[in-house]
Amino acid sequence: MTPKIMIILGSGSDIDIAKKSVDILEKLEIPYSLKIASAHRTPHLVRELVIRGEEAGIEVFIGIAGLAAHLPGIIASHTSKPVIGVPVEGKLDGLDALYSTIQLPYPTPVASVGIDRGDNGAILAAQILSVHYPEIKEKLIELRNEYKEKVYKSNEEIPELIKGKYIQNDFLKVDELKISEPDYIDFEVDNVEVPIIVSNYSDITIAKKVAVILDRLKISHDLKVLGPIRQPKRFESYVKSVEESACLFIGISSNASILTGALSSLTTKPIIGVPCNNESGYNSIFSMVNMPPGVPVATVGLNNGRNAAILAGEILAIKDEEVRHILEKTKSKKINV
């Protein structure tokens, strides 16, 4: 079995986080490789692992590192394959590692997940591969159903632990509720590979930067301003309308960034999140990247819509040689996309 995913640890001390990734990949039955190489102490080893790994068939890299956490960025400098970064808590509550992982310059994106979220790193890798491998998509759906059943089961178990005098455990029993399908609005949208959804008109400038890069990469896209808070019915209807043709979604949002979280609840396809600056500072980064297990958002740097488009291109380029050719020239500075 040739591995499709390579996990690289910056230090052997990060193994507990890597085990979260390993457990998910074992469950999904996806072949992987695990190596230890430091961006600072063994930079040439990192380079050789990435170059030789890509030549041998690796399609997604996961870099796990704490402290300065330069490893995912160094991996990304040597490949045009998607790179997922998992920051590890060490000093500064892991914020040093998070910022080092997420704030990469154009055109070298790292798809960041939350601090210590090795499980979400592996799920995101599987989502990326599922764009090209239907059998992985089916396994992801099964995994998502397991997470869902756990929530339903908790509604039976947790209330029974509460010995309150006034709790009414028979009121609206969840296992007896009939969950009805919403009355969707029909969006007439042509086949589109990458839907771009913006929650606020104030962030439309970032969305236009995404669209420009996707145009140059010859990737079809559609741009909508829709918010799950102000327009929940239209938001969900649009996602359902484009999901069949979409390979992935890009969500652009400031403030609490509920947009990408809402997207993750509606699809198992990869979601790239672009946090935007606003009057409250960096809360868009934290609410976008720190997703719970099972629903990762591939978060790029603040206002970095161009890196979101490059990451989308890297995901599609796994099986699209034309897009990959453009990306490789862009990274080597031979052309300016």
Side-chain angles (χ1 to χ4, degrees):
M1 293 187 296
T2 302
K4 298 182 184 300
I5 297 170
M6 178 179 284
I7 304 169
I8 303 180
L9 308 183
S11 168
S13 62
D14 300 328
I15 189 60
D16 287 341
I17 308 304
K19 284 179 179 177
K20 296 180 182 181
S21 298
V22 166
D23 289 345
I24 292 293
L25 297 177
E26 290 285 345
K27 190 177 187 67
L28 296 174
E29 300 178 342
I30 300 175
Y32 61 93
S33 171
L34 190 147
K35 305 293 181 183
I36 300 170
S38 168
H40 307 113
R41 291 166 287 190
T42 57
H44 296 153
L45 175 58
V46 175
R47 182 193 63 203
E48 289 303 313
L49 284 172
V50 174
I51 293 173
R52 304 301 170 219
E54 183 174 339
E55 290 174 350
I58 296 296
E59 295 180 338
V60 181
F61 291 90
I62 300 176
I64 301 176
L67 300 175
H70 294 157
L71 176 63
I74 296 299
I75 294 171
S77 72
H78 295 302
T79 182
S80 59
K81 298 292 187 184
V83 177
I84 297 167
V86 183
V88 177
E89 182 176 0
K91 305 297 182 181
L92 305 178
D93 296 323
L95 293 182
D96 47 355
L98 174 61
Y99 289 142
S100 295
T101 302
I102 203 171
Q103 293 287 81
L104 269 288
Y106 173 85
T108 313
V110 166
S112 300
V113 296
I115 297 168
D116 289 350
R117 287 264 67 94
D119 43 6
N120 272 353
I123 291 171
L124 178 56
Q127 288 178 332
I128 290 170
L129 292 175
S130 74
V131 172
H132 308 285
Y133 301 98
E135 65 275 16
I136 295 179
K137 179 181 177 180
E138 292 304 314
K139 291 183 182 298
L140 277 170
I141 292 172
E142 292 175 9
L143 181 63
R144 175 70 70 92
N145 287 334
E146 287 184 21
Y147 282 111
K148 181 173 70 175
E149 289 303 316
K150 184 177 180 180
V151 173
Y152 275 89
K153 191 174 182 181
S154 293
N155 271 283
E156 299 176 18
E157 298 174 345
I158 301 302
E160 294 298 328
L161 300 177
I162 305 297
K163 304 302 181 183
K165 183 177 179 180
Y166 296 103
I167 188 170
Q168 304 295 309
N169 287 338
D170 291 329
F171 178 72
L172 291 180
K173 293 183 72 68
V174 168
D175 59 345
E176 297 175 359
L177 286 178
K178 182 180 179 181
I179 309 297
S180 58
E181 278 286 312
D183 183 18
Y184 292 117
I185 301 167
D186 185 23
F187 279 84
E188 294 184 4
V189 182
D190 294 333
N191 286 346
V192 58
E193 294 172 290
V194 181
I196 307 166
I197 306 178
V198 187
S199 60
N200 301 298
Y201 279 100
S202 60
D203 301 324
I204 199 72
T205 301
I206 306 299
K208 289 179 179 178
K209 292 181 180 180
V210 176
V212 167
I213 302 296
L214 292 179
D215 273 334
R216 294 176 182 175
L217 292 173
K218 301 178 182 180
I219 296 172
S220 64
H221 55 278
D222 183 52
L223 173 58
K224 286 285 187 294
V225 180
L226 286 170
I229 300 299
R230 297 188 180 102
Q231 303 164 295
K233 184 176 180 180
R234 289 181 61 81
F235 178 83
E236 186 169 347
S237 296
Y238 177 72
V239 173
K240 291 297 181 183
S241 296
V242 298
E243 188 178 21
E244 185 173 349
S245 65
C247 298
L248 57 96
F249 291 83
I250 295 179
I252 302 172
S253 179
S254 51
N255 299 318
S257 299
I258 291 171
L259 169 68
T260 48
L263 272 173
S264 72
S265 71
L266 298 174
T267 180
T268 58
K269 293 185 177 180
I271 298 163
I272 300 173
V274 185
C276 298
N277 206 359
N278 55 68
E279 67 279 1
S280 300
Y282 292 91
N283 59 351
S284 56
I285 287 182
F286 298 139
S287 62
M288 189 173 283
V289 75
N290 277 329
M291 294 295 290
V295 283
V297 170
T299 309
V300 297
L302 194 68
N303 298 329
N304 206 334
R306 295 196 302 166
N307 259 2
I310 293 293
L311 178 57
E314 289 178 339
I315 292 171
L316 295 181
I318 289 174
K319 296 296 182 182
D320 190 322
E321 287 299 322
E322 183 178 14
V323 175
R324 182 178 180 182
H325 183 65
I326 297 172
L327 286 172
E328 288 178 343
K329 283 192 170 183
T330 301
K331 284 200 167 186
S332 62
K333 307 298 183 183
K334 291 180 180 177
I335 62 172
N336 182 21
V337 172

